[in-house]
Amino acid sequence: MRDFSYARPTSRAEAIALAGMPDTMVLAGGTEFLNWARIGIVEPARIVDISRIPGIEGVEALAGGVRIGALTKLNDAAQHPLIRASYPVLSEAILKSASAQIRNLATVGGNPLQRVRCPYFRADEPTPCNKRVPGSGCAALHGFNEKHAIFGWTKDCVAVHPADPLVALAALDAVFTTDGKDGGRRIPARNFNALPKEDPTAHSVLRHGELIVGIEIGGAAPKSAYLKIRERESYEFATVSAAVALDLDGDVIQRARVALGSVAMRPWRLEETERRLAGRRLGSPAIGAAVDAGFADARPLSSNAYKIKLARNAALRTIELAAMA
């Protein structure tokens, strides 16, 4: 590991000034930093620990929604009465991510900043990977790619983003609020990650020195659910996941939001499915046809065609679970 300097600012202004310095990395919970540093994914000259900054932690009600401070621990957010009652999909997604010990340390603002789980990106010895070494190619394109993307990939990157809460946040139309030396932004959760066609080297659209300070979610979504399909029940990343939020009038769907996880470099909203679900009665054969329509643009790689059927069934089952919530 490379030697680095360490700073623990106590104000947002101080943190922003330090985070904007060259070759600097920001930590909140820091649950992945040692893994990254050990294999050389990151080698920062400076670490800025923002975990002690006041005012950006906790859950508070807003007019018609909720705000979650970026430094709120995952477990604290998942167990908060307001989140459990109004946004069960988010509580479920958090509780199905990582272990309880990690959730007690990791933050809601840090979780979406995970790096991809592609074995070529995380190899002890560097292999062609544009996210690891820009311009080196993508070994997974014709290599081990059974866990990789079926949407939004290019020949430059076929990785998927691993975060669970981010999928739920995308289905809830949540917005990340940020702060930085040039002011703050509002970034929709569904667009927080960069697709390969936008930048195959990037993991997110966050700029250097820009800090996530909160997450805002609109109106309550009690009819919502999260389903995570994985090879083992505990401590495993999703092969496919689905988050659904429904607005119902009796048994008729007025509005549906359907997001898939581990199928692309960002949570993938099935927009055509959502459009076709509006006005459909629960249990109708039209529900399955609407879900199928969302996969018109799915493109399997050499070893992951199974993910199309798996993701389709996950979306359909999660719609059922949300309706029963």
Side-chain angles (χ1 to χ4, degrees):
M1 289 177 59
R2 174 186 180 186
D3 290 342
F4 56 84
S5 64
Y6 175 84
R8 181 181 283 173
T10 56
S11 71
R12 188 188 300 187
E14 183 186 4
I16 290 170
L18 291 170
M21 296 176 65
D23 204 7
T24 297
M25 182 175 178
V26 174
L27 292 185
T31 57
E32 276 252 75
F33 171 65
L34 289 179
N35 289 330
W36 296 343
R38 177 184 61 82
I39 59 178
I41 290 175
V42 296
E43 294 183 317
R46 283 166 291 275
I47 294 291
V48 178
D49 180 351
I50 64 170
S51 63
R52 305 299 172 89
I53 297 177
I56 52 175
E57 183 173 1
V59 178
E60 61 177 317
L62 301 175
V66 67
R67 180 185 185 277
I68 308 172
L71 291 181
T72 307
K73 302 298 188 290
L74 288 177
N75 266 346
D76 291 340
Q79 300 291 0
H80 194 280
L82 182 55
I83 302 300
R84 294 181 66 181
S86 299
Y87 309 99
V89 62
L90 179 57
S91 181
E92 292 167 9
I94 292 173
L95 293 176
K96 290 180 180 178
S97 64
S99 66
Q101 293 90 337
I102 290 178
R103 295 196 307 268
N104 281 330
L105 183 62
T107 64
V108 295
N111 181 265
L113 293 171
Q114 291 182 70
R115 308 294 173 93
V116 297
R117 306 302 302 189
C118 176
Y120 298 102
F121 174 74
R122 291 178 178 259
D124 288 337
E125 296 295 329
T127 55
C129 174
N130 286 316
K131 281 186 166 50
R132 184 83 173 263
V133 180
S136 64
C138 176
L141 180 63
H142 301 295
F144 296 105
N145 56 36
E146 64 271 13
K147 296 290 186 70
H148 288 62
I150 56 174
F151 290 106
W153 58 268
T154 72
K155 65 180 179 60
D156 296 314
C157 183
V158 298
V160 299
H161 197 271
D164 292 291
L166 190 58
V167 184
L169 291 169
L172 292 169
D173 291 320
V175 174
F176 289 93
T177 60
T178 73
D179 200 356
K181 63 181 180 64
D182 297 321
R185 289 193 293 165
R186 297 176 60 82
I187 306 172
R190 63 185 296 183
N191 297 328
F192 184 76
N193 305 108
L195 288 175
K197 68 180 181 180
E198 299 163 350
D199 185 350
T201 71
H203 295 263
S204 76
V205 300
L206 206 66
R207 299 166 183 159
H208 179 70
E210 186 177 21
L211 304 181
I212 299 172
V213 295
I215 300 169
E216 295 181 4
I217 312 174
K223 290 290 185 181
S224 61
Y226 184 74
L227 179 65
K228 181 175 183 177
I229 299 174
R230 45 189 165 174
E231 292 182 350
R232 60 183 181 186
E233 183 59 25
S234 62
Y235 316 148
E236 183 64 272
F237 293 92
T239 302
V240 164
S241 64
V244 171
L246 299 177
D247 295 336
L248 299 177
D249 181 5
D251 64 349
V252 176
I253 299 172
Q254 299 299 305
R255 181 190 181 201
R257 289 170 283 175
V258 183
L260 298 178
S262 292
V263 298
M265 189 52 211
R266 65 172 51 150
W268 198 263
R269 284 282 290 266
L270 296 181
E271 294 179 347
E272 182 62 19
T273 293
E274 294 173 358
R275 187 184 70 78
R276 295 191 183 206
L277 285 175
R280 301 300 182 182
R281 195 174 300 276
L282 294 171
S284 164
I287 302 295
V291 171
D292 289 340
F295 286 84
D297 295 331
R299 295 184 297 143
L301 296 160
S302 59
S303 301
N304 72 351
Y306 76 95
K307 288 186 76 169
I308 295 178
K309 183 175 182 179
L310 190 66
R312 183 264 183 198
N313 290 342
L316 191 60
R317 176 57 178 158
T318 312
I319 291 169
E320 297 171 354
L321 293 173
M324 294 187 292

